[in-house]
Amino acid sequence: MIMKIPIYILTLLLIISAFQSTAQISTKPDKGNWSKGAPERFKGDVWVEYFINDTISDFVSSRVLFEPGARSNWHKHSGKQIVFAVEGEGYLKEKGKPITLLKKGDVVVIEPGTIHSHGSINQRFTQGIMMNDVGKKETTTWLNPVLEEELLEKE
Amino acid sequence: MIMKIPIYILTLLLIISAFQSTAQISTKPDKGNWSKGAPERFKGDVWVEYFINDTISDFVSSRVLFEPGARSNWHKHSGKQIVFAVEGEGYLKEKGKPITLLKKGDVVVIEPGTIHSHGSINQRFTQGIMMNDVGKKETTTWLNPVLEEELLEKE
């Protein structure tokens, strides 16, 4: 089930997560071939595990782990991105749309060129990813960090 | 775009694929860590590449390549399965529903416990997979082979 979060709850969670993210030190997850998300692309501690990046067959598969309060910058992909919520709770925020809370088992499809951000609000969150149109130079275009108030925007 | 195929076109394609599948010898795809699909689970030549099977985080990621005319037996999963059409054209047939043709970029979600079959009709087809609820003994329950006439059934 994909839920819209009431604004007051989201505000409270964002305040809690701001305290949490300063208090925690993230260590690399135990199992898997994780690499740290670059600070120019992510706020907080984010770990990425690429399973395959096949530009011939046009297919990327990966998963991304967000520590509590961590999130991506605004970005967009040249192709379609499928997000599968694996563990914990997180969010998808598309520019111009209300934030969507993602819980284990939720699936969302992000259309090519849609500016968006993924992340955690106050829990560790892991998402599985599949993506196509990955042969271009700029498969992902990275943009500005996401401000707390932008997460709360309804549009 | 996910399409329903007119029955007469599907019948013609199935006849062509029957000739093709006897005439071709499948070789392991060049790149990747592919293993041959077991004949008690698949008709024709099918190759499977597991990226991760993480029963702790509850996440499987893989891709499956069907040579022309190849297909899976009927089966069902304990969890949710997301299918992303990567290359070529193939199908998803859920028991009780008309067949759905899948083309590059199409996404379908198969709900837990739904009896279904994936495969090619007359082209090589590759699909990306994500799945959850994978910690159980019977993550996938394999059933009977799928007959041509079952693919044509509207229900």
Side-chain angles (χ1 to χ4, degrees), chain A residues 42-148:
Chain A
F42 297 98
K43 169 189 174 289
D45 289 319
V46 177
W47 298 93
V48 184
E49 187 178 23
Y50 278 98
F51 302 126
I52 191 162
N53 183 357
D54 181 344
T55 56
I56 307 301
S57 296
D58 192 19
F59 182 59
V60 157
S61 175
S62 65
R63 63 177 167 177
V64 187
L65 187 159
F66 298 89
E67 294 292 354
R71 59 175 175 264
S72 77
N73 283 12
W74 294 114
H75 63 288
K76 61 183 177 176
H77 306 290
S78 53
K80 191 177 276 194
Q81 186 181 51
I82 301 147
V83 177
F84 188 34
V86 172
E87 272 196 321
E89 281 185 29
Y91 75 84
L92 167 71
K93 166 75 178 170
E94 296 188 357
K95 275 251 180 184
K97 291 186 182 177
I99 196 167
T100 302
L101 181 64
L102 299 177
K103 290 189 178 184
K104 184 180 173 64
D106 287 337
V107 186
V108 285
V109 177
I110 303 165
E111 294 299 329
T114 305
I115 296 176
H116 66 280
S117 165
H118 320 267
S120 150
I121 293 171
N122 68 337
Q123 285 188 33
R124 181 185 264 204
F125 176 58
T126 305
Q127 61 183 22
I129 295 289
M130 295 193 288
M131 204 156 66
N132 69 3
D133 202 6
V134 296
K136 293 184 179 167
K137 195 180 171 193
E138 292 290 349
T139 299
T140 301
T141 305
W142 289 95
L143 305 165
N144 291 338
V146 179
L147 306 172
E148 263 78 4

Side-chain angles (χ1 to χ4, degrees), chain B residues 108-129:
Chain B
V108 285
V109 177
I110 302 165
E111 295 298 329
T114 305
I115 295 176
H116 66 279
S117 164
H118 319 268
S120 150
I121 293 171
N122 68 336
Q123 285 187 32
R124 182 186 262 204
F125 176 59
T126 306
Q127 60 182 22
I129 295 290

Side-chain angles (χ1 to χ4, degrees), chain B residues 134-153:
Chain B
V134 296
K136 294 183 178 168
K137 196 179 171 195
E138 293 289 349
T139 299
T140 301
T141 304
W142 290 96
L143 305 165
N144 291 339
V146 179
L147 306 173
E148 263 77 4
E149 53 264 38
E150 290 181 300
L151 287 180
L152 299 170
E153 282 172 2

Side-chain angles (χ1 to χ4, degrees), chain B residues 16-51:
Chain B
I16 294 168
S17 77
F19 282 102
Q20 283 186 321
S21 60
T22 54
Q24 290 196 352
I25 298 167
S26 176
T27 52
K28 195 169 178 173
D30 275 350
K31 291 192 175 180
N33 189 23
W34 300 91
S35 57
K36 191 82 186 280
E40 62 272 23
R41 295 177 176 181
F42 297 97
K43 168 189 174 288
D45 289 319
V46 178
W47 299 92
V48 184
E49 187 178 23
Y50 278 98
F51 302 126

